Amino acid sequence: TSFVRRYLPNERVRIPAHFDITAFATLILPLSPVHNYSGGFYVQPTAHVSSRQFVPLSAGSVAIHDFTLNHGVEVLHGGRYSLVVWVSQSQAACDGSSTPWHMGR
């Protein structure tokens, strides 16, 4: 699955911390120049917001993470576009809309 996310003032500017439980891995490709916005993609290792760390990504860079990473997006100023790709573990998992990577957890 792939889609473009748009973050603009007066529209969506954040996605709260979450886990991509339906994807084995997620690829995030920023499409906006870094000078167009502040903030952006962050990781949050604990439940407390004080653990949040923004990950600087320039247009054309790629961030890849698995389903265990607590993360989110908050655009503090300006606008940001990104391409998001969710990767499954196998064709069978895609066909069956299943998440076998959670079985061993």
Side-chain angles (χ1 to χ4, degrees):
T1 302
S2 62
F3 50 93
V4 173
R5 290 271 184 179
R6 177 173 74 184
Y7 304 89
L8 295 173
N10 302 318
E11 290 186 12
R12 174 197 351 244
V13 294
R14 77 183 50 84
I15 295 180
H18 64 282
F19 298 92
D20 292 340
I21 60 171
T22 59
F24 180 70
T26 300
L27 291 80
I28 302 165
L29 175 68
L31 302 174
S32 301
V34 72
H35 66 269
N36 278 17
Y37 64 94
S38 62
F41 177 73
Y42 64 82
V43 297
Q44 189 170 313
T46 70
H48 199 275
V49 71
S50 66
S51 71
R52 181 177 295 176
Q53 299 172 355
F54 285 97
V55 178
L57 297 169
S58 57
S61 296
V62 176
I64 302 172
H65 65 82
D66 73 358
F67 61 95
T68 64
L69 183 69
N70 191 25
H71 65 284
V73 174
E74 184 165 7
V75 175
L76 304 170
H77 182 266
R80 177 181 184 264
Y81 289 79
S82 60
L83 174 66
V84 179
V85 179
W86 288 338
V87 180
S88 191
Q89 186 178 25
S90 66
Q91 185 64 46
C94 285
D95 294 344
S97 296
S98 62
T99 55
W101 46 91
H102 291 289
M103 297 298 201
R105 297 191 55 99

